[in-house]
Amino acid sequence: MFDFDVIVMGAGLAGMRAALAASQNGSKVAVITKVYPVRSHSNAAQGGINAALTDRGDNWEDHAFDTIKGSDYLADQDAVEVMAREAGSEVINMEHMGAAFNRDDEGRLGVRAFGGQREARTFFVADFTGQALLHVLHEQVLSSGVQVFEEWFVTTLITEEERCVGLVAMDMRTGELHVMRSKAVIIASGGVGRVFEPSTNALICTGDGISLAYRAGAGIMDMEMVQYHPTTLKNNGALMSEAARGEGAYLLNAEGERFMERYAPNMMELASRDVVSRSEQTEINEGRGIDGCVLLDARHLGEKLINERLLQIRQLGIDFAGKDMVTDPVPIRPGMHYIMGGIKTDIDGLTSVPGLYAAGETACVSVHGGNRLGANSLLDTLVFGRRSGEHASEWVKTQAPASIDDTHASRCLEEIQSLLDRDSGEMFGQIRLDLGQTMNKHLAVYRDQKGMEQAKSDLADLKQRYASVMVQDKNKIFNTNLIFTLELGFMLDCAETTIIGALERKESRGAHTRTDMPERDDKNWLKHIVVSQSNGKPKIDYVPVNITKWQPQERKY
Ligand SMILES: Cc1cc2nc3c(=O)[nH]c(=O)nc-3n(C[C@H](O)[C@H](O)[C@H](O)COP(=O)(O)OP(=O)(O)OC[C@H]3O[C@@H](n4cnc5c(N)ncnc54)[C@H](O)[C@@H]3O)c2cc1C
């Protein structure tokens, strides 16, 4: 059995920032990650990270207001204030650790414009910001004494007397299960992208931590808020960063019209993501699209700027759509990108289960509410990753180790063994694909009661199929067949909380747009929806939105 003060599940930006903070505060820390750390999805972040720096005449309150308006007033304003206030120091801290942000002509940190914000306040490293930040934090974690368990897969959280006291993880190289005892666990396991198909997310984004927290009794909040990004590539759903529009690219319909004039005359292509995605979908639905897409036109930006700032997405367009953005408009459409909901936490990352924390895309603090602004997620991972690491490492100083032993691993082993012993049944692949397709059909940009009920009934069938799923590969060493099957179980839980939240919310707000209930209803629905498990069944609770000083207004861009 391993023994730590704090265990962090996940080595993306949130997990590494949390681990570093906890270790610097004196805790004995482990990070567990199912992939090599720098292959975490944070690595794929392209566009940048927001912060209002006062030396530009910007201020945190403007950033907070833009975020709250972007969230369609569902974000908790105390949490947004914390994020916007602490943004500057986090970005400067990353710079001091070694992140080589792009510079402006005067040699200061450069900024680009991003959607839904009245100021250009997005700091960036070309179009691979996430990669740059992740490598810097990885170096820091490696030199900090944190023990990193690479290619270890967390299967279960251990709770004792309703307190989280560790977890069980599989060393994927040997297939062996280990009990890892700790006084606190921080879940930083990223989003649920692949519950939808297609998605901009990596194949590993399967909502493992959200499901584990749900099974451990934690509240899961606002899962109906699923972000469809306005510019994903036609063929494979890969992301064409908002940075393209931030640098000045246009959106055109089949008639060559900059159609955003009709929907957001002031902000145009840089309205918030939910607004742009709805506008595109309306154009497509009303017959002004081309093969289910509209066009991203960056030709007027010129090859020099594109190569300096958008080189990676230029290559994506060439490789996957056969279009070079220097010479051709690129066909794009709204695609699943981000989950605003997640494990409900306070502003220090604490969940409703003592000893259990969450940070990053896995968590719902909530700073994104009904719609996240581009470049606020990297910021969320750093600010709340650090805060949860700091808080957990203080808390563990007051805690005695729990008296647990290896029986937890043997129980997990029995479950996995019975899965491996099954030698007939369906494999995970088709179930996973059917799940993704039903979610993408019924819980996309536009939703209605009938479609969401269809998704609910499809999910019941999929769960039944999963109950007799077979793992064909019986080996212990790097059994990816087994890992994918376990992940599918997590994905089904995430889909369940999403569908429950979506059916519950009887209004349109942010990314949750119902054609049968098109208005926002602040009187009845200015509140969070929390789903938790009670006696194995989902239970719904409401939590009021925390409003500090910005009263809900009509949202126009
Ligand atoms: C293509 C793309 C571009 C983006 N661009 C931007 C951008 O420019 N700006 C912005 O702000 N946001 C952007 N985002 C969103 C942002 O990148 C993510 O929300 C954020 O990086 C998530 O970080 P994280 O630390 O929470 O999780 P991740 O980086 O996803 O890391 C999750 C970690 O959890 C581990 N893990 C998961 N399950 C298990 C398990 N069972 N056992 C062990 N380990 C496990 C994984 O190994 C991984 O290390 C983008 C997202 C995508 C997909």
Side-chain angles (χ1 to χ4, degrees), residues 135-167:
H135 279 258
V136 164
L137 270 182
H138 187 214
E139 283 164 14
Q140 298 292 320
V141 164
L142 287 180
S143 62
S144 69
V146 169
Q147 198 172 339
V148 184
F149 294 78
E150 291 164 9
E151 299 185 318
W152 281 51
F153 184 86
V154 179
T155 59
T156 318
L157 294 178
I158 305 175
T159 50
E160 203 186 60
E161 290 166 4
E162 298 184 353
R163 174 184 142 202
C164 183
V165 291
L167 47 79

Side-chain angles (χ1 to χ4, degrees), residues 175-192:
E176 260 162 49
L177 289 173
H178 298 270
V179 169
M180 312 190 80
R181 182 169 68 167
S182 67
K183 297 173 189 165
V185 170
I186 302 175
I187 302 185
S189 57
V192 304

